Amino acid sequence: MSTEPAVRPGLVRITDVAALAGVSIGTASKALNNTGQLRDETRLRVRDAAEKLGFVMDARGRALSSGRSFTVGMVTTDSFGRFSIPVMLGAEDVLSAGQMAVLMCDTRDDAVREQHYLRSLSARRVDGIIVTGRSSDARPPIDIDIPVVYAFTPSTDPDDVSVSVDDAAGATVLARHLLDTGRRRVAFVSGPARHAAATRRAEAAAEALGDALAAAPLYGEWSERWGRQAVDLLLRTTPDLDAIACGSDQVARGVCDRLRELGRSVPGDVAVTGYDDWDVMALASRPPLTTVDLRLDEVGRHAGRVLLDLIAGSPVSSSVIEPTLVIRESTIGG
Amino acid sequence: MSTEPAVRPGLVRITDVAALAGVSIGTASKALNNTGQLRDETRLRVRDAAEKLGFVMDARGRALSSGRSFTVGMVTTDSFGRFSIPVMLGAEDVLSAGQMAVLMCDTRDDAVREQHYLRSLSARRVDGIIVTGRSSDARPPIDIDIPVVYAFTPSTDPDDVSVSVDDAAGATVLARHLLDTGRRRVAFVSGPARHAAATRRAEAAAEALGDALAAAPLYGEWSERWGRQAVDLLLRTTPDLDAIACGSDQVARGVCDRLRELGRSVPGDVAVTGYDDWDVMALASRPPLTTVDLRLDEVGRHAGRVLLDLIAGSPVSSSVIEPTLVIRESTIGG
């Protein structure tokens, strides 16, 4: 199973073509598949390299026959946390159906551990790598000569292939739901301002709410306690509000608890929305939370499919998965 | 790296010895290392097989030189859930330091998926397998000719090597802590009676509490809502109780919430304990929960070490990890 690749023409991989042409694997894929924005000179250089090496397009059938380890690496910075687990399960499902075994690489946000794993994956000649993490903010690309797909945590290099979530779209759909259900005095309680996800969500909601935004967004932490504190702050400054949209389900659960303690009914007096659809928070909240599902399993499944395509030399490009609105009693119950 | 094992004498593995002797790998290890309870006939049969094959003891150095895939499979039924994640992270840490790559196999409690993964791991000639799951109840052994260690979820076969947690010891240490802090009217609120963990914890606590057990243990579900309901039941039947020990942190969080709503102070009027030390529940609870830490990361690390020993042919045996008491404000604050 571990025949040396690239020594026989029939076993040439897109990796080898990219290396000879001096381009990234994503660029080689675009050049060979006639997709994407590339200079003609680049496209020709890649095709010359493919011809020299005897690389054949639509490689999946050929690739399946030999020259591969049928193994991919799953690199996470998140210690299999709340965000990376559904991504990894989705990817693992697709890859395992494709007869690929998945190697777990938990880097724990440690650059030294990441390098260790990348060397190990390279030595084991994995066919590809999925990179994921705890944040939807972009990260620097990894430097390795193997097909890579970034899932949930995109690469900062636009030439790389990333599958990301649309954080702003989630906040927009929640804001519209509040407007559609008649709310006109809405506050937004988010996480730490230094987190791009916290500001992206708050700003997208503010834009969609327009005049219905009753106060400037509040930034704090991703915790229930902050949600409880924020209610006290808001009721002093904006006592007539009729909805509180939150940057996470944890914050929203704290908001519901504090409103109930103060005798304000949810959603009768004040509607509340969360973000993430984390069952432990969204379902245990009193009342259960209207929120957005980031569809992280679909992010993972799509990343798995894209990686299989990239390994096979098929055309691939980055994509964005749209979150979906989940309506529960915190906005429309009674 | 994938030289056929067992064709040259220097590459004989304990697996091959066990197969020739017709015994499990655990039994072969015990026979060759002079440990455990075995009949003399069995021990001799294993040693004969080892001699015939040219198997050399203290195999780690030799094994590291060749004949191995340096890959282990991690098989979980738990979809990387709350219990299996810390176990897997601990194991992965030890195995990766031992230069072993870890293949993720998420069976999702599906026997067909489990068989698929076992065939795949066998075909890839992994050096060993760690089996884990969501429950501390024993499970049937997997049928495979490769060293296996069961972590958290032990095997029903006493010949297998399992690393488990001592559920009863955790409940006992919590009960003693309540007695030590002066509580004498204690109730126990557990999960579903059909879960062995729910009954084991309740029965161990009842035994340790003795006369201080103020009511028969209540069984319900593993949820905050059940914790809230249980408070209403208990205060009708046993209004003078001064502590409520719970079978999980989720139940305990619900108990604390309901007591607060009814104007009973925790721990002033009633002390409350959880179980599991699940941060999302134990730290977010008002007040934060005294609970037991199952030390699942140590269960995983120990399972990783034991698997490396088993692969190397060193003596190994099953073991039990003791949980530790974590004291927070729900029993001693004020």
Side-chain angles (χ1 to χ4, degrees):
Chain A
M1 214 152 62
S2 67
T3 320
E4 200 69 9
V7 291
R8 286 185 280 146
L11 299 180
V12 174
R13 301 173 304 172
I14 194 167
T15 316
D16 308 310
V17 175
L20 183 60
V23 299
S24 73
I25 293 155
T27 299
S29 169
K30 286 177 195 160
L32 293 168
N33 289 288
N34 245 332
T35 57
Q37 303 279 329
L38 293 179
R39 279 177 301 158
D40 286 348
E41 188 267 323
T42 306
R43 208 176 286 276
L44 278 173
R45 187 146 43 92
V46 172
R47 293 192 179 175
D48 277 352
E51 201 169 325
K52 269 187 199 131
L53 293 170
F55 179 79
V56 190
M57 279 309 295
D58 191 16
R60 190 177 304 210
R62 176 191 50 72
L64 283 170
S65 66
S66 60
R68 286 178 32 191
S69 66
F70 292 97
T71 307
V72 304
M74 184 97 71
V75 176
T76 176
T77 58
D78 187 25
S79 292
F80 307 97
R82 180 153 69 88
F83 296 105
S84 61
I85 289 164
V87 173
M88 293 171 68
L89 288 177
E92 195 265 353
D93 200 35
V94 167
L95 292 168
S96 128
Q99 304 292 318
M100 303 289 263
V102 178
L103 291 167
M104 299 167 49
C105 304
D106 167 32
T107 70
R108 302 178 195 190
D109 258 338
D110 175 340
V112 172
R113 280 181 78 104
E114 183 164 297
Q115 283 309 310
H116 159 84
Y117 280 115
L118 294 180
R119 276 194 306 273
S120 166
L121 292 173
S122 193
R124 287 169 186 276
R125 296 185 169 280
V126 295
D127 298 324
I129 295 176
I130 289 182
V131 175
T132 186
R134 76 162 57 78
S135 164
S136 53
D137 300 353
R139 57 157 284 158
I142 60 174
D143 180 23
I144 199 166
D145 189 25
I146 291 171
V148 179
V149 173
Y150 297 81
F152 184 59
T153 302
S155 165
T156 50
D157 183 344
D159 263 0
D160 287 332
V161 180
S162 302
V163 180
S164 42
V165 296
D166 193 340
D167 246 343
T172 302
V173 80
L174 283 167
R176 288 195 186 133
H177 168 69
L178 289 172
L179 293 173
D180 289 349
T181 51
R183 308 292 168 165
R184 292 294 177 270
R185 300 281 297 161
V186 185
F188 198 96
V189 180
S190 201
R194 68 179 186 282
H195 287 194
T199 52
R200 259 196 312 268
R201 292 171 189 180
E203 286 163 9
E207 190 176 326
L209 289 167
D211 290 345
L213 186 74
L218 293 181
Y219 294 98
E221 44 178 58
W222 299 119
S223 73
E224 295 178 57
R225 189 177 55 175
W226 163 235
R228 296 195 297 266
Q229 292 170 341
V231 167
D232 291 339
L233 288 170
L234 283 169
L235 290 182
R236 273 202 297 276
T237 58
T238 324
D240 62 337
L241 52 79
D242 60 13
I244 303 178
C246 302
S248 81
D249 292 335
Q250 261 177 301
V251 174
R253 184 174 176 179
V255 164
C256 287
D257 280 346
R258 187 64 184 144
L259 286 169
R260 188 179 58 254
E261 286 170 4
L262 296 172
R264 302 275 187 128
S265 84
V266 177
D269 299 329
V270 182
V272 177
T273 60
Y275 204 108
D276 293 336
D277 201 20
W278 184 22
D279 54 357
V280 169
M281 292 292 146
L283 296 178
S285 173
R286 290 186 282 167
L289 298 172
T290 292
T291 183
V292 293
D293 176 358
L294 294 177
R295 296 172 69 211
L296 295 173
D297 58 335
E298 180 54 25
V299 170
R301 297 180 68 83
H302 193 67
R305 288 188 292 261
V306 168
L307 184 62
L308 290 176
D309 284 346
L310 193 57
I311 291 168
S314 303
V316 297
S317 56
S318 290
S319 48
V320 175
I321 305 293
E322 293 292 316
T324 53
L325 178 66
V326 180
I327 299 176
R328 298 200 184 91
E329 292 89 321
S330 70
T331 56
I332 54 137
Chain B
M1 212 152 60
S2 68
T3 319
E4 201 69 7
V7 291
R8 286 183 281 145
L11 297 180
V12 173
R13 301 173 304 173
I14 194 167
T15 317
D16 308 312
V17 176
L20 183 59
V23 299
S24 73
I25 293 154
T27 299
S29 169
K30 286 178 196 161
L32 293 168
N33 289 289
N34 246 332
T35 57
Q37 304 279 328
L38 293 179
R39 280 177 299 157
D40 286 349
E41 187 267 323
T42 308
R43 210 177 286 276
L44 278 174
R45 188 146 43 93
V46 172
R47 291 190 181 176
D48 276 352
E51 203 169 323
K52 270 187 197 130
L53 293 169
F55 179 78
V56 190
M57 280 309 295
D58 191 16
R60 192 178 304 210
R62 177 190 50 71
L64 282 170
S65 65
S66 60
R68 287 179 30 194
S69 65
F70 292 96
T71 307
V72 304
M74 184 97 71
V75 176
T76 177
T77 58
D78 187 25
S79 292
F80 307 97
R82 180 153 69 87
F83 296 104
S84 60
I85 289 163
V87 173
M88 294 172 67
L89 288 176
E92 196 265 353
D93 201 33
V94 167
L95 293 168
S96 126
Q99 303 293 318
M100 304 288 262
V102 178
L103 290 167
M104 297 167 50
C105 303
D106 167 34
T107 70
R108 304 179 193 187
D109 258 337
D110 176 339
V112 173
R113 280 181 78 103
E114 183 164 294
Q115 284 309 310
H116 159 83
Y117 280 115
L118 295 180
R119 275 194 306 274
S120 166
L121 293 173
S122 192
R124 287 168 187 276
R125 297 184 169 280
V126 295
D127 298 323
I129 295 176
I130 289 181
V131 174
T132 186
R134 75 162 57 78
S135 164
S136 54
D137 300 352
R139 57 157 283 158
I142 60 175
D143 179 22
I144 199 165
D145 189 24
I146 292 170
V148 178
V149 174
Y150 297 81
F152 184 60
T153 302
S155 165
T156 49
D157 183 344
D159 264 359
D160 287 333
V161 180
S162 301
V163 180
S164 42
V165 296
D166 192 341
D167 245 345
T172 302
V173 79
L174 283 166
R176 289 198 185 132
H177 169 69
L178 289 172
L179 294 173
D180 289 347
T181 51
R183 308 292 170 166
R184 292 295 177 269
R185 299 283 295 163
V186 185
F188 198 96
V189 181
S190 202
R194 69 179 184 281
H195 287 195
T199 52
R200 259 197 311 269
R201 292 170 189 180
E203 286 162 10
E207 190 177 324
L209 288 167
D211 289 346
L213 186 75
L218 294 180
Y219 294 97
E221 44 179 59
W222 299 119
S223 73
E224 295 178 57
R225 190 177 55 176
W226 162 236
R228 296 195 298 266
Q229 293 170 342
V231 167
D232 291 339
L233 288 170
L234 284 169
L235 291 182
R236 271 203 296 276
T237 58
T238 323
D240 61 339
L241 51 81
D242 61 13
I244 303 178
C246 302
S248 81
D249 292 336
Q250 260 177 301
V251 174
R253 185 176 176 178
V255 165
C256 287
D257 280 347
R258 187 63 184 147
L259 287 169
R260 189 179 58 256
E261 286 171 5
L262 296 173
R264 304 273 186 130
S265 85
V266 177
D269 299 328
V270 182
V272 177
T273 59
Y275 202 108
D276 294 336
D277 202 20
W278 184 22
D279 54 357
V280 168
M281 291 294 146
L283 296 178
S285 173
R286 289 187 282 167
L289 297 172
T290 292
T291 185
V292 293
D293 175 0
L294 294 177
R295 295 172 69 212
L296 295 173
D297 58 335
E298 180 54 26
V299 169
R301 298 180 68 83
H302 193 66
R305 287 189 291 262
V306 168
L307 184 62
L308 291 176
D309 284 345
L310 192 57
I311 291 167
S314 303
V316 297
S317 56
S318 290
S319 48
V320 175
I321 305 293
E322 292 293 314
T324 54
L325 179 66
V326 179
I327 299 176
R328 298 202 183 90
E329 291 88 323
S330 70
T331 56
I332 55 139

